[in-house]
Amino acid sequence: MAKPPNPARRSESSRQAILAATGELCSQVGYGRLTIEAIAARAGVSKKTIYRWWPSKGAVVLELLGETATIATAPPDTGDLAADLHTMLTEIVDILTRDSAGTGVISEALNDPDLARDLRERLIQPGIDAFKQRLRRAQDAGRLHPDADLDVALDLLYGPIYHRMALHLGMPGPAYLGSLITHALRALTPPTPH
Amino acid sequence: MAKPPNPARRSESSRQAILAATGELCSQVGYGRLTIEAIAARAGVSKKTIYRWWPSKGAVVLELLGETATIATAPPDTGDLAADLHTMLTEIVDILTRDSAGTGVISEALNDPDLARDLRERLIQPGIDAFKQRLRRAQDAGRLHPDADLDVALDLLYGPIYHRMALHLGMPGPAYLGSLITHALRALTPPTPH
Amino acid sequence: MAKPPNPARRSESSRQAILAATGELCSQVGYGRLTIEAIAARAGVSKKTIYRWWPSKGAVVLELLGETATIATAPPDTGDLAADLHTMLTEIVDILTRDSAGTGVISEALNDPDLARDLRERLIQPGIDAFKQRLRRAQDAGRLHPDADLDVALDLLYGPIYHRMALHLGMPGPAYLGSLITHALRALTPPTPH
Amino acid sequence: MAKPPNPARRSESSRQAILAATGELCSQVGYGRLTIEAIAARAGVSKKTIYRWWPSKGAVVLELLGETATIATAPPDTGDLAADLHTMLTEIVDILTRDSAGTGVISEALNDPDLARDLRERLIQPGIDAFKQRLRRAQDAGRLHPDADLDVALDLLYGPIYHRMALHLGMPGPAYLGSLITHALRALTPPTPH
DNA sequence: CGATAAGCGAGACGGTACGTCGAGTCTTGTG
DNA sequence: CACAAGACTCGACGTACCGTCTCGCTTATCG
């Protein structure tokens, strides 16, 4: 029945227009008030064209985020672990602070399992992999305890950001971020030999 | 113009019926598919009555959570800090796992500043206060570093839960929670004198 | 069941306030947009008080019309039949032109048999009786054909007014009214003996 | 802003279903209790589709009347003026008696200038034109006074019907209609030469 | 190289829920 | 017990978007 469209014949210009319109509207009215109807109108595109390629507005914004993001790239490695972590965390904070697209997709995904899966697979997991990769290097360099659980590390470092976002406790500034990193590393670092 | 109704004349039975209906529907169809229309119908109540006392469906569910919650109560204090933290964290995990009401309100609040404020003031802040109160006792008992920043402690302990919730990384089980607590405490504990 | 209230204890001041408010609102917003709610608010009266004494907004306006009207009084009799008819018809035209109360009640009565009955019995029938009384005098004076049907006379004289009102053909001015009277009387007058 | 829809793409089947449902409901519950909601439900049509093409329920019923009506057609001309008038007047009486659609639209139009204009232009004026055309022929044939004012004729003949409708005096039967026609013609006919 | 099938814009369609309005009823407290 | 105040249920309003569905119109393969 549901015959999937042929991606080869897809109009790239329409795709671009849709993502552009989505971005503009999202900054103007916020993710909550964003509608497919408005995106189509602003992009000069048929609603059908949007529904042909995306299952929901969340999926469109997700793709927009993927377009913009530098997240999934290789982690920075300056040799200074704390500084690199600071860079990585700051990027997430920026995304969640910049406009409502980031928090919007996260909020939508909380009620939409399909979107949640896409979000995790396309944006989150690559970021996690990069993070772990960087930490493993630090571990190899003896900077972290050799038995340190990297999942725990992930939670300790990224957790505070999402905690503060979810409960509106104020996004962490650079200094506070530094403090968090210090504490987290202390939990993961082998006791300094005296 | 918009004259606020007189709370003294409010029908308590309607309020109860609305909250009950909200709870039932939320478990049945999930927060996302919950509608004011359905709540009114199931509660045998006029939509107007709902709109008279709550600004949005999120606000209704928030009040329902507040009704149910034991969160804001005094924190447990068995003397065993790690065990008490486990109890407190488990409660949050339960709330976020039980049904879609908890995550639903959080997701809604991400796009609705008014709801976000209510959520923080009515549910979150009391919990934070209780948490800090417990930690301060531990600090006084020398269990924590005297200079430990309790905000950092909060973030390190609760952050992982919201991190995993927001990104659908799987909610932490008791064991993993224990591991997190161990790590977090290590970051907050004075170095054991050798 | 439906226990009728005791008219003796009725508050005359409330009644006055309701009718006054009705009149003012009717001129301001028109019969169509008139609501019981607004009448109660403007009159400083409980909605219940209105419903206690009147079955519908149409009934209130009807009573207001009855209060204002001079219709039911004795017909003018200057001896000049045509002039007297002109006076009587002009009064109706005035009522239907002045504000939306007159046409409003008529329009409501078209869909509300109870109101229709009240309208006819309280306002219309007395007017008809007065009209016929005047015509009968003319008949006795030989001014009309002795066999003339007064119902027909009523229809011929008043019909045009309601015709033009109902179909929005423009209410007749004094001159046109005169022409109508002339024609109607011609139909009712005995052929002049040659 | 308010972009009018493209009539070319209009669904004729929806239009038919709407008018049919309107007719059925109007006979069943009467014009007063007719609602757009019920029409949409019965017609299996979205409310939006009704609002897209009609401004109000009155407009829908008006179109239904226009669909049904034979009014605007050429007037009958059997050579017998009185008989032809009887035919024409009877048709109006029938429409106003058949169901509540006719009186309903008239009552609505009394409070809605836009509907009133549509009613007059689409239904009434063509009927008036046909009526006058027939009378002009009678005039040419010497059956009416050459100076007779056809507007007066219209008022004298149709007026009684609307008078009795508006004031609920009982719709005229065939005999009474004949009597009215006789009288009206007497007012419009040249004095018979002796 | 011309048919033909696809994506496309436009936007009408059946739906669902929205948030508001007013009707008419009911409750509470006052005089 | 009539009244002012106003909360209540009910039902309809008119609107907004949803996601689906024709329509013609490119446009880009493939027989």
Side-chain angles (χ1 to χ4, degrees), chain D residues 22 48 75 89 93 133 147:
Chain D
T22 301
K48 177 125 198 183
L89 294 184
V93 171
Q133 181 184 335
D147 294 339

Side-chain angles (χ1 to χ4, degrees), chain D residues 9 34-38 46-48 51 55 57:
Chain D
R9 314 199 57 179
L34 184 65
T35 67
I36 298 242
E37 200 107 12
S46 166
K47 279 200 289 177
K48 177 125 198 183
Y51 284 113
K57 83 165 173 177

Side-chain angles (χ1 to χ4, degrees), chain A residues 83-99:
Chain A
D84 290 350
L85 289 174
H86 204 284
T87 303
M88 289 189 279
L89 295 185
T90 298
E91 190 187 349
I92 297 295
V93 170
D94 281 354
I95 290 174
L96 296 178
T97 310
R98 189 165 24 234
D99 59 16

Side-chain angles (χ1 to χ4, degrees), chain A residues 163-170, chain B residues 106 109-112 116 119-120:
Chain A
H163 178 222
R164 303 184 81 84
M165 173 205 70
L167 305 186
H168 302 85
L169 302 174
Chain B
I106 289 176
L110 284 173
N111 294 309
D112 178 344
L119 168 62
R120 197 178 57 252

